Amino acid sequence: MPHIPAVSRRLVLGGALATGAVAAGVGGAQASPVAQAADAVPASVPKRRPGQKSMIDVPYDAHQTVRVGVIGLGNRGSGMAEGWSVVPGCTVTAVCDIRADRAKRTADRLVATGKSRPAEYGGSDESFAQMLKRDDIDLVYIATPWEFHYRQGKAAMSAGKHVIVELPIATELDELWDLVDTSERTRRHLMLAENCSYGRNELAMLKMAHEGLFGEITNGHGGYLHDLRELLFSDTYYTDSWRRLWHTRSTASFYAMHGLAPIAAAMDINRGDRMTVLRATATAPRGLADYRERFVPRSHPSWRETYVNGDLVTCLIDTAKGRVIRAEHDVSSPRPYSRINTLAGSRGIFEDYAGVMATSGGRIYVEPDHGGHSWRAADAYRKEFDHWLWKKIGDDAANNGGHGGMDYVLQWRTVQLMRAGLVPDIDVYDSAAWCSPVPLSVKSLAAGGRPVEIPDFTRGSWVNLRMGLDSRASDMPPVG
């Protein structure tokens, strides 16, 4: 059995919640002054408008049935629409895509599986606005290309709906702030659809960290390393080549959130610590042009494009407590898939995607359990620290969800939170912080890698220790 230090985060947080004392540092180390680089480009924090209030620890109103409207029915959206439909107490009431045939095709598939036919919207880029006028939608799920996320997410909240948005929720800093403010003004929750935060290894790593297995956490490493070259040049996979075209527009860390978010959660970002400064570097853009030269015919429209985004974009992020996060993005290089998922502290380290021939795929080294400078397979630790969600619905996730089941865990948990009237695991402040490296990497790279300050989207509330993905076990309310 692993050795657990005498005072873990869970014990501290449990006592704090029981007594009402939730200030960071209760029962443990005090938060250090906010770490800032002396030459960092400052970040402005706009004041709240009159009547605007924080959404931290604001629960959903309890819903007997969660009625979902889906915007965007490409590869991701159509699959997730079916996923929402099989969660207990959830129904898909409307589907929308600029291509009306996709809405019909998705509705047909839902009917074929025995579900009620959702209303169909499509045919124009304003069809989603018509769908949002419906009064039988509680949650809007958005899976359109990145450039539409901000506008559609804001419109959904303004229409009185809660929102869950695929990565990223927005690509500009002012848009992130506007989504935070819109959530606070409308009292609607907006959540990043960060399925990797619900991955089995990620949640087990979170529990290990919060139980003190790694001692004092000092650093983490996460990202999105996925060879997408074939898909990026496909004429059918990304509609109108939208994702490839982003590589012609900007040098940025477009999509590191899959690895960054689980590390941030394990470090209690926005829950006792926060990200303060970001520095970005980028390699030369070689991968896409090289792939095109070797595999894409000269008649293909991509030959009129110039790729400017670096193959590997790396962000070094400091936190207020002196921790360091390395977040990486690379979809242009030949390599096996990895989200990296590494967390280290004063007493040990966990590494995922390490090639260990074991069930979990991860490796671990913690004192005093281990010695001899030798890695161990992480299987026993994942079993010991398996999150209650995976213990409860892991079999259902394996049968109903993509990406190893974590899609279903995300959807099941979201519906459960809404039906039970609980506080979201991931809120708009987490979502904005996790997505902020997109615009901030652009700013840092444009300044030659100069550090830039990361704004405090919580406006000071980050110092309070509170629950998040490290939730307490609870049941799905009975259906019917």
Side-chain angles (χ1 to χ4, degrees):
M1 294 290 290
H3 170 75
I4 306 298
V7 179
S8 69
R9 180 192 187 274
R10 170 166 291 184
L11 292 175
V12 172
L13 185 54
L17 292 177
T19 61
V22 295
V26 175
Q30 294 289 327
S32 63
V34 175
Q36 304 283 22
D39 59 343
V41 177
S44 60
V45 177
K47 292 183 179 180
R48 286 190 173 101
R49 297 175 183 175
Q52 190 175 315
K53 297 184 296 182
S54 173
M55 289 294 285
I56 287 176
D57 287 335
V58 174
Y60 289 107
D61 292 332
H63 295 73
Q64 182 174 356
T65 300
V66 175
R67 302 166 297 178
V68 176
V70 179
I71 303 175
L73 298 167
N75 291 291
R76 181 63 174 162
S78 60
M80 289 291 278
E82 294 183 54
W84 290 112
S85 74
V86 299
V87 177
C90 184
T91 184
V92 177
T93 55
V95 292
C96 176
D97 194 280
I98 190 172
R99 289 164 172 77
D101 62 309
R102 289 182 173 178
K104 181 180 184 304
R105 188 161 58 245
T106 299
D108 287 345
R109 281 202 299 268
L110 291 174
V111 171
T113 61
K115 308 301 180 184
S116 299
R117 189 175 194 90
E120 301 166 32
Y121 292 83
S124 81
D125 57 4
E126 292 299 317
S127 296
F128 79 93
Q130 293 301 311
M131 189 191 83
L132 293 178
K133 294 178 181 179
R134 300 181 65 92
D135 59 6
D136 61 351
I137 296 175
D138 307 304
L139 176 69
V140 175
Y141 168 73
I142 297 172
T144 52
W146 300 338
E147 51 263 43
F148 305 119
H149 289 184
Y150 159 68
R151 181 185 174 213
Q152 292 168 345
K154 180 177 181 179
M157 286 189 289
S158 297
K161 326 297 186 187
H162 298 292
V163 193
I164 180 168
V165 189
E166 283 295 336
L167 291 62
I169 61 169
T171 60
E172 301 292 339
L173 205 57
D174 61 339
E175 294 173 349
L176 293 173
W177 271 116
D178 195 28
L179 290 176
V180 169
D181 290 342
T182 301
S183 176
E184 293 186 344
R185 185 177 67 255
T186 62
R187 315 309 294 165
R188 300 293 91 183
H189 284 295
L190 181 143
M191 167 187 168
L192 181 70
E194 185 39 84
N195 57 343
C196 295
S197 290
Y198 287 95
R200 193 162 206 157
N201 279 4
E202 284 84 350
L203 284 176
M205 180 185 72
L206 173 86
K207 283 193 64 182
M208 295 178 207
H210 287 177
E211 294 285 6
L213 186 68
F214 306 118
E216 290 292 324
I217 300 299
T218 58
N219 68 95
H221 184 192
Y224 187 70
L225 309 179
H226 191 182
D227 182 359
L228 292 179
R229 294 172 301 164
E230 182 178 358
L231 296 179
L232 289 172
F233 285 100
S234 167
D235 291 329
T236 58
Y237 193 82
Y238 292 113
T239 304
D240 298 329
S241 303
W242 69 264
R243 190 161 183 168
R244 188 181 73 240
L245 291 176
W246 274 94
H247 289 260
T248 70
R249 298 171 183 161
S250 181
T251 304
S253 180
F254 288 133
Y255 203 75
M257 296 79 78
H258 274 333
L260 171 61
I263 299 301
M267 289 185 176
D268 287 322
I269 298 302
N270 289 342
R271 289 164 168 78
D273 198 0
R274 80 172 183 90
M275 303 188 299
T276 57
V277 176
L278 177 147
R279 304 165 181 81
T281 63
T283 67
R286 297 288 184 261
L288 295 185
D290 178 74
Y291 184 91
R292 180 179 61 185
E293 178 70 33
R294 290 184 290 148
F295 300 111
V296 180
R298 293 277 175 170
S299 59
H300 195 266
S302 65
W303 279 96
R304 296 191 292 270
E305 300 166 359
T306 300
Y307 305 113
V308 299
N309 196 43
D311 291 344
L312 174 65
V313 180
T314 301
C315 296
L316 279 179
I317 299 169
D318 297 340
T319 81
K321 286 191 171 182
R323 298 157 172 160
V324 175
I325 304 172
R326 187 161 88 252
E328 296 186 353
H329 176 265
D330 185 350
V331 299
S332 307
S333 303
R335 56 156 302 125
Y337 178 87
S338 177
R339 296 194 300 274
I340 308 170
N341 198 33
T342 296
L343 192 69
S346 59
R347 298 187 183 182
I349 182 171
F350 171 81
E351 285 192 351
D352 218 344
Y353 301 92
V356 172
M357 299 305 294
T359 303
S360 71
R363 61 184 183 179
I364 194 167
Y365 184 90
V366 292
E367 295 174 343
D369 295 13
H370 304 145
H373 306 281
S374 297
W375 290 100
R376 306 299 200 279
D379 295 46
Y381 290 85
R382 190 178 79 172
K383 183 178 180 180
E384 173 70 20
F385 292 95
D386 207 12
H387 194 278
W388 70 266
L389 279 167
W390 279 94
K391 292 179 180 179
K392 189 178 189 71
I393 61 169
D395 291 341
D396 291 338
N399 294 325
N400 294 308
H403 294 97
M406 60 189 179
D407 288 348
Y408 182 79
V409 175
L410 164 71
Q411 293 175 302
W412 188 96
R413 176 61 171 166
T414 302
V415 171
Q416 184 216 17
L417 289 166
M418 292 185 67
R419 295 190 65 223
L422 300 175
V423 174
D425 295 340
I426 299 170
D427 58 31
V428 69
Y429 311 103
D430 302 318
S431 304
W434 298 346
C435 294
S436 65
V438 180
L440 293 176
S441 62
V442 175
K443 184 181 292 188
S444 176
L445 289 166
R450 182 181 176 186
V452 296
E453 289 185 5
I454 301 173
D456 172 17
F457 294 101
T458 73
R459 294 180 169 100
S461 294
W462 66 270
V463 298
N464 294 323
L465 196 63
R466 57 192 176 94
M467 299 294 285
L469 287 155
D470 54 344
S471 54
R472 293 187 174 90
S474 56
D475 294 324
M476 176 73 80
V479 177

